[in-house]
Amino acid sequence: GAVVSQHPSRVICKSGTSVKIECRSLDFQATTMFWYRQFPKQSLMLMATSNEGSKATYEQGVEKDKFLINHASLTLSTLTVTSAHPEDSSFYICSARDGSRDRAYNEQFFGPGTRLTVL
Amino acid sequence: GEDVEQSLFLSVREGDSSVINCTYTDSSSTYLYWYKQEPGAGLQLLTYIFSNMDMKQDQRLTVLLNKKDKHLSLRIADTQTGDSAIYFCAEIRGQGGKLIFGQGTELSVKP
């Protein structure tokens, strides 16, 4: 159990277009989802935290108009990179927390990531 | 400082033990974690330790926690080539339960 999927796994787009990435919890209800960005050979940087039905909380330095996050249901969150540019090229990873389980250690389940390349 | 820090590379021979070290910053972190990332993939939780514990053992994995020095280590016994990956330590911060990751240690296991 506790599987998180992301779609697409890879996307290549032209500069100026918008790209939507989906994150789904397949067998649990995710009350909270997180979006991370990872550059090659670097750590994961938290971009935003989203709770179902409310606005996402963005980390300092992350443009909320650039990276639109929607968490409309307990199993789906989307990240839309608007007007993408080459510097937005990165590996985007989501994670989800299962609010129904009594997991005191606060486990987040990670998706497999989406590789975005902006030409 | 603000960062969770790890050494970037570790190379060991198959069958040896690997020890990956991490220093964290938030003394109020309730849990500390070790994640494994294989190339092009997401993160897999390997193990975690509660902050009131000094040690946790789980099969080939041993986690040691020194709260005074804010130092965390992961020991992998009998390291195999399949253990080659990037290992991240992470601490949890704040009410929202944000995970703050180290830079990752790339473990290379040579046959």
Side-chain angles (χ1 to χ4, degrees), chain A residues 105, chain B residues 31-32 45-50 53-65 73-75:
Chain A
Y105 57 92
Chain B
Y31 290 94
L32 296 138
L45 178 65
L46 280 180
T47 188
Y48 64 94
I49 188 166
F50 187 47
M53 298 169 66
D54 297 325
M55 185 182 89
K56 180 179 179 182
Q57 187 149 3
D58 184 0
Q59 299 182 346
R60 291 191 297 124
L61 305 178
T62 303
V63 179
L64 295 178
L65 175 60
S73 68
L74 173 70
R75 178 177 180 270

Side-chain angles (χ1 to χ4, degrees), chain A residues 16-118:
Chain A
T17 60
S18 293
V19 175
K20 181 185 281 188
I21 302 169
E22 293 185 348
C23 176
R24 291 182 188 272
S25 55
L26 298 185
D27 50 3
F28 66 98
Q29 293 188 326
T31 48
T32 306
M33 286 184 166
F34 303 84
W35 286 96
Y36 297 85
R37 183 174 180 177
Q38 185 181 32
F39 290 103
K41 303 286 189 184
Q42 292 190 27
S43 185
L44 281 75
M45 301 301 295
L46 180 65
M47 298 174 68
T49 303
S50 76
N51 293 294
E52 185 265 337
S54 60
K55 286 185 180 179
T57 302
Y58 289 80
E59 293 299 301
Q60 194 171 7
V62 177
E63 297 175 62
K64 56 183 70 173
D65 295 331
K66 173 79 171 170
F67 299 99
L68 300 178
I69 291 170
N70 184 287
H71 190 168
S73 80
L74 283 170
T75 59
L76 174 65
S77 176
T78 60
L79 167 68
T80 301
V81 183
T82 61
S83 186
H85 288 93
E87 59 266 27
D88 299 324
S89 297
S90 192
F91 193 53
Y92 292 88
I93 304 177
C94 72
S95 70
R97 183 184 294 149
D98 183 350
S100 67
R101 298 189 193 193
D102 185 23
R103 288 185 180 268
Y105 57 92
N106 222 5
E107 184 174 4
Q108 292 181 26
F109 300 98
F110 284 81
T114 297
R115 173 77 58 197
L116 170 63
T117 303
V118 185

